[in-house]
Amino acid sequence: MKSRFLTVLALVAMGLVVAAVALAAPTSPREYVPVQNGFVTSATPRLPYAPDHILVKFTVDGMRRAAIEVGMQKNAAAPTTVTGLASLDAISQSVGVTAIVRPYHMPKDQAEVARLGVDRWFRFDLSAGADILKVIDKYAADPNVEAVSPDWRAFPAVAPNDPSYPDQWGHNNTGQ
């Protein structure tokens, strides 16, 4: 009976830990040090997303009606921040959009471009101090937007714990 009670208690404790981790905001700053800097004892907190822009994917109908002129190559910028869609332009003006840019390289296979909708994704650059999560909520409510997301940063999953890592130049040797 006592072991059963301990088992139930352990399961409840484990459930509380899982719930606490699940409820922790994935948007809160986390400590990060690039692996290339070698071993360090402390790290700088950084947001898990870019603080100055968001990614917006237009709906098929919204893209067809939009009057946005952006080249198809990565980092091509529109000449203005006007999309030609009144509701999106109103949001953009209210949140301080400073530029609209292509965020991705286009695949050569046009069928894949159409299937994935890569050509409908844009990076909306924002003025300094914008609350990214509130801006995302505004764009998500627009019927011309299929998807909107912060531009998530990739953090390495594994870092060497060897204090001599920076001295081992051969690991990063690019043949120069």
Side-chain angles (χ1 to χ4, degrees), residues 26-101:
T27 57
S28 59
R30 59 184 290 187
E31 290 187 352
Y32 172 70
V33 173
V35 176
Q36 293 80 6
N37 291 353
F39 180 79
V40 295
T41 58
S42 64
T44 305
R46 293 189 62 184
L47 288 172
Y49 53 84
D52 59 351
H53 61 267
I54 60 171
L55 300 173
V56 178
K57 183 179 184 184
F58 290 14
T59 61
V60 173
D61 185 52
M63 189 67 193
R64 188 175 60 251
R65 292 184 298 109
I68 189 168
E69 296 178 22
V70 180
M72 296 304 279
Q73 66 276 12
K74 182 179 178 177
N75 294 327
T80 69
T81 59
V82 177
T83 64
L85 301 168
S87 59
L88 276 182
D89 291 340
I91 295 170
S92 295
Q93 186 175 13
S94 73
V95 300
V97 170
T98 59
I100 300 175
V101 180

Side-chain angles (χ1 to χ4, degrees), residues 43 63 80 84 112 137 141 148 174:
M63 189 67 193
T80 69
E112 282 300 295
D137 289 340
V148 62
T174 59

